């Protein structure tokens, strides 16, 4: 099930078509559920938790050993070094598996991902989609990609070579602000439409539409 229905898809498509009426630039929109699975991050968290638990148990074994003795009827026993080591490893393995299982709950998993990691993964995914769907696919290399990743609550704007050399990256800030202001209210299609509108204004200023300009890239929203 996608985030947008047919009517909302049409709203974004119409926004792209309207923006491109004033510019020779081409705008591509991509809406993604997530930019990465973050399996490696979940594993690192699980390893860190497991190592911490094992370190604490190795440093302070007496409370745990006393509790285990009490569970066996209160009979105290001498724990050998091998038994303690086995206990530490077993508890560490249990902590590892439990940490991985807990992170299967997606809201918690994404809260545990460091912000720099999500920012980089979203950027990498945006560039990948740009290379596939827009880079150097227009006559004047004037393609722009608006990429919105829902799980990470992040967006990216990636521009083709001809645009990047004439339009500084910070110029897209207004488009990002307008887009995310709507998306944060749950108005995803309207947010994408606002971003497209602002990008179109910038493109029209630097790359006005030629009389013989042709639409070289699809206007429709790509939802992945």
């Amino acid at each position: 099930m996608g985030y947008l229905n047919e009517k909302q898809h049409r709203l974004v498509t119409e926004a792209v078509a309207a923006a491109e009426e004033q510019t020779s630039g081409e705008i591509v929109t991509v809406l993604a559920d997530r930019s990465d699975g973050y399996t490696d991050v979940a594993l690192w968290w699980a390893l860190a938790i497991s190592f911490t638990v094992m370190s604490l148990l190795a440093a302070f074994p007496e409370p745990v050993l006393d509790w285990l003795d009490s569970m066996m009827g209160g009979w105290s026993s001498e724990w050998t070094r091998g038994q303690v080591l086995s206990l530490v490893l077993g508890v560490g393995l249990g902590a590892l598996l439990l940490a991985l299982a807990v992170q299967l709950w997606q809201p918690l998993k994404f809260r545990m991902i460091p912000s720099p990691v999500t920012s980089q993964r979203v950027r990498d995914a945006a560039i990948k989609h740009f290379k596939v769907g827009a880079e150097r696919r227009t006559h004047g290399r004037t393609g722009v990609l608006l990429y919105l990743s829902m799980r990470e609550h992040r967006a990216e704007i990636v521009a083709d070579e001809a645009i990047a050399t004439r339009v500084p990256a910070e110029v897209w800030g207004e488009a990002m602000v307008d887009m995310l202001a709507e998306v944060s209210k749950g108005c995803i299609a309207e947010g994408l439409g606002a971003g497209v509108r602002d990008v179109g204004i910038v493109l029209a200023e630097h790359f006005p539409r030629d009389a013989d300009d042709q639409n070289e890239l699809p206007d429709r929203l790509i939802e992945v």
Side-chain angles (χ1 to χ4, degrees):
M1 180 67 68
Y3 283 93
L4 303 182
N5 57 35
E6 183 179 348
K7 181 180 179 181
Q8 292 167 322
H9 270 264
R10 188 164 58 251
L11 187 154
V12 179
T13 299
E14 291 172 353
V16 173
E20 292 180 352
E21 287 181 356
Q22 306 300 321
T23 176
S24 59
E26 295 286 338
I27 302 173
V28 177
T29 54
V30 176
L31 174 63
D33 174 54
R34 67 184 69 193
S35 295
D36 192 75
Y38 301 98
T39 303
D40 58 328
V41 178
L43 181 58
W44 278 113
W45 271 115
L47 289 171
I49 293 170
S50 176
F51 181 77
T52 300
V53 169
M54 287 192 295
S55 298
L56 290 172
L57 181 56
F60 309 102
E62 289 81 8
V64 177
L65 298 181
D66 290 343
W67 177 78
L68 289 174
D69 286 339
S70 69
M71 295 297 291
M72 293 185 291
W75 293 93
S76 60
S77 60
E78 287 292 329
W79 289 77
T80 67
R81 182 176 300 178
Q83 288 175 322
V84 173
L85 179 60
S86 297
L87 175 64
V88 170
L89 293 176
V91 170
L93 178 59
L96 175 71
L97 296 176
L98 180 61
L100 288 173
V102 167
Q103 291 180 87
L104 292 175
W105 187 46
Q106 297 302 303
L108 175 61
K109 178 180 181 178
F110 276 85
R111 284 185 176 274
M112 293 178 67
I113 302 170
S115 180
V117 174
T118 55
S119 296
Q120 187 59 52
R121 300 287 171 90
V122 170
R123 179 67 178 173
D124 291 344
I127 292 174
K128 181 181 71 174
H129 283 285
F130 175 73
K131 288 180 178 296
V132 172
E135 186 179 36
R136 299 185 179 182
R137 292 186 61 188
T138 61
H139 177 71
R141 296 185 180 178
T142 55
V144 177
L145 174 79
L146 274 76
Y147 179 83
L148 181 61
S149 193
M150 297 302 296
R151 294 273 187 172
E152 292 88 347
H153 296 173
R154 280 171 170 75
E156 288 284 343
I157 296 178
V158 186
D160 216 332
E161 181 180 355
I163 298 174
T165 56
R166 297 175 61 179
V167 181
E170 54 268 20
V171 170
W172 306 118
E174 183 176 348
M176 294 285 284
V177 169
D178 289 345
M179 176 166 60
L180 295 180
E182 292 292 335
V183 173
S184 64
K185 297 186 293 186
C187 304
I188 301 172
E190 291 79 1
L192 286 167
V196 167
R197 178 200 64 214
D198 292 350
V199 168
I201 292 172
V202 175
L203 291 178
E205 178 183 350
H206 295 276
F207 300 92
R209 183 181 178 91
D210 298 326
D212 59 347
D213 183 76
Q214 295 182 353
N215 192 11
E216 298 177 274
L217 296 176
D219 294 342
R220 65 180 180 82
L221 170 67
I222 302 170
E223 192 168 357
V224 294

